[in-house]
Amino acid sequence: MNRLAAVAAAVTLVAGCSSGGAQQSAAPSSSSPAAQKVALTYWNWVPGMDKIVAVWNTAHPDIQVTSSTQAGGDDSATKFLTAAKAGNPPDLVQAEYQALPSFVAAEAVADIKPAADPVKAQFSEGIWGLVTLGTDAVYGIPQDSGPMLLYYRADLFKKYGIAVPKTWQEYADAARTVHAKDSKVYLGTFSSKDPGSFAGLAQQAGGQWWSISGEAWKVAINDEPTKKLADYWGGLVKEGVIDSMPYFTPEWNKALNDGKLLTWPSAIWAPGPLSTNAPKAKGKWAIAQLPQWNAGESFSGFWGGSAVSVSAGSKNKEAAAKFATWLNSDPEALALLVKEGSIYPAATKGADLLSEPPAYFSNVPDFWKQAAGFGAGARGFTFGPNVNVAYNAFKDAFDKAALNKTSFSDALQSVQDGTVADMTKSGFKLAQ
């Protein structure tokens, strides 16, 4: 069986390859009964997870979970895949949404659909799609999410006489107005170092970078919505009316702190970085819906977030799936994730647990209610099995394009070509 066939079997595709999915889909039912005393290990990087696990352990003496703190990011994903290949993975793993397809491709995580189906209604369609890869299989329970919205300096919008942009055209017009009034001030910046942000904006625009067609992967990073997005930002960079400094750099921090950058299209977790990097602007920022491509629309995208998956190599899949479901859907567990882990729960009812606004946004008393509304319109999006390759190709190509003010469409094509070449080399079957 080639690698694509293995992937297709793993995701139990309903179109033409369901016969290959029996091993994965049957995994949970073949696991040890939950009534038998079992010990589970959970790799994650959520602060305070040991306290949350302790609550579970007290209530479930027959299923004891040990939380093992990991670094997060690509290093943790590589570590998990290595452990899975060696036959000694943890029972549960925190999986970033963009890393999950590579776990599925490696047959490292189990389909937990029987345990997951009862809580499906607690998650938005866009979030749920991130753990299904567009199939009937379920490869994790969503834990946290990063719906995107627009952060803006309300005081400086007033100073420069601009309104909160409702469309991207209005955003571009406002960028020109601001920069014309003060050449040292920019409405925003394009970051070539943050492909996750670009992916979220592409999702909002209607892009679909990966999809599965029959037994083949389709790669369309250069689809029309994403081309439109690339041309839009590339045009503003070339025109010089927005900056091109990357996020999370000393220069970016200073610009935010000094009021030289007026907006940040970011995720719901942005209050943390803003409070650290721009302390002088506390109480001066406000939030709004992302500008839309067409007036009257209400779309968003995701930047960040993760799920809890069950290892295919776990000897106690049923018990592990029970814990993963409790952790991300039970009201007590969600409250603990907010209190101890400081995360924004993926479950829709999680937002109700967030009453007090972030201290940095004390001027927006209904911050969480507003943010939940702005991020509710996220479109479906499927990540592919080699996101790391695509993201590295993005950084290389868009770094050069931003520096030289050359075509962002050409840079996007470079990302598409590099991603396809890597998938072909790795043995994935690609749709024509």
Side-chain angles (χ1 to χ4, degrees), residues 186 188-194 242-256 260-261:
Y186 295 91
T189 185
F190 177 83
S191 177
S192 60
K193 301 292 187 183
D194 291 280
I242 67 163
D243 208 324
S244 58
M245 69 175 75
Y247 302 146
F248 312 112
T249 59
E251 294 79 11
W252 181 74
N253 296 344
K254 188 176 189 306
L256 286 177
K260 303 302 183 184
L261 278 180

Side-chain angles (χ1 to χ4, degrees), residues 29-373:
S29 62
S30 65
S31 306
S32 302
Q36 179 182 339
K37 188 169 184 177
V38 297
L40 305 174
T41 300
Y42 172 33
W43 285 7
N44 68 91
W45 53 87
V46 176
M49 182 54 71
D50 55 336
K51 297 179 182 178
I52 303 172
V53 163
V55 174
W56 164 272
N57 288 340
T58 298
H60 300 83
D62 294 326
I63 305 175
Q64 295 290 286
V65 179
T66 298
S67 174
S68 176
T69 303
Q70 305 297 308
D74 291 343
D75 289 343
S76 290
T78 300
K79 181 179 178 180
F80 171 70
L81 288 172
T82 301
K85 185 176 181 180
N88 59 351
D91 298 279
L92 300 116
V93 62
Q94 183 175 353
E96 290 184 296
Y97 295 125
Q98 69 265 25
L100 189 55
S102 65
F103 294 175
V104 174
E107 299 183 317
V109 291
D111 175 5
I112 57 172
K113 181 178 173 63
D117 274 352
V119 300
K120 177 181 178 180
Q122 296 189 31
F123 302 89
S124 70
E125 183 178 347
I127 283 286
W128 197 252
L130 294 173
V131 297
T132 64
L133 279 70
T135 74
D136 282 341
V138 182
Y139 292 101
I141 307 295
Q143 179 161 276
D144 62 329
S145 66
M148 296 184 73
L149 47 147
L150 183 69
Y151 294 82
Y152 69 96
R153 281 288 298 268
D155 58 330
L156 297 180
F157 267 48
K158 184 177 181 179
K159 174 183 177 180
Y160 291 106
I162 56 174
V164 178
K166 294 183 179 180
T167 66
W168 286 113
Q169 180 59 56
E170 290 179 3
Y171 184 94
D173 292 340
R176 297 182 181 104
T177 298
V178 168
H179 196 59
K181 290 185 175 182
D182 189 335
S183 62
K184 296 182 179 179
V185 177
Y186 295 91
L187 188 67
T189 185
F190 177 83
S191 177
S192 60
K193 301 292 187 183
D194 291 280
S197 171
F198 188 80
L201 293 175
Q203 179 185 354
Q204 188 224 10
Q208 186 58 263
W209 290 3
W210 286 273
S211 58
I212 300 172
S213 176
E215 296 188 6
W217 281 96
K218 182 177 180 180
V219 186
I221 295 174
N222 63 340
D223 62 12
E224 287 306 316
T226 311
K227 283 182 181 178
K228 176 176 64 177
L229 176 70
D231 286 338
Y232 174 83
W233 288 102
L236 292 178
V237 169
K238 187 173 184 179
E239 190 178 341
V241 294
I242 67 163
D243 208 324
S244 58
M245 69 175 75
Y247 302 146
F248 312 112
T249 59
E251 294 79 11
W252 181 74
N253 296 344
K254 188 176 189 306
L256 286 177
N257 212 31
D258 294 346
K260 303 302 183 184
L261 278 180
L262 275 56
T263 70
W264 185 23
S266 189
I268 204 163
W269 42 256
L274 285 174
S275 64
T276 300
N277 300 326
K280 290 196 302 185
K282 178 181 178 181
K284 298 178 181 178
W285 287 80
I287 57 176
Q289 186 177 52
L290 281 180
Q292 301 295 304
W293 287 101
N294 299 298
E297 292 181 341
S298 183
F299 293 117
S300 183
F302 292 109
W303 181 9
S306 57
V308 179
S309 297
V310 174
S311 296
S314 172
K315 294 180 175 62
N316 300 288
K317 297 183 184 67
E318 186 176 336
K322 185 176 180 181
F323 170 75
T325 302
W326 171 86
L327 180 63
N328 299 302
S329 65
D330 182 87
E332 181 182 20
L334 292 175
L336 289 167
L337 284 172
V338 171
K339 178 183 178 181
E340 304 292 348
S342 299
I343 71 168
Y344 181 78
T348 53
K349 60 186 178 184
D352 296 335
L353 302 171
L354 297 158
S355 54
E356 294 296 319
Y360 192 81
F361 282 86
S362 58
N363 58 309
V364 187
D366 60 343
F367 177 91
W368 296 114
K369 182 179 180 180
Q370 284 195 48

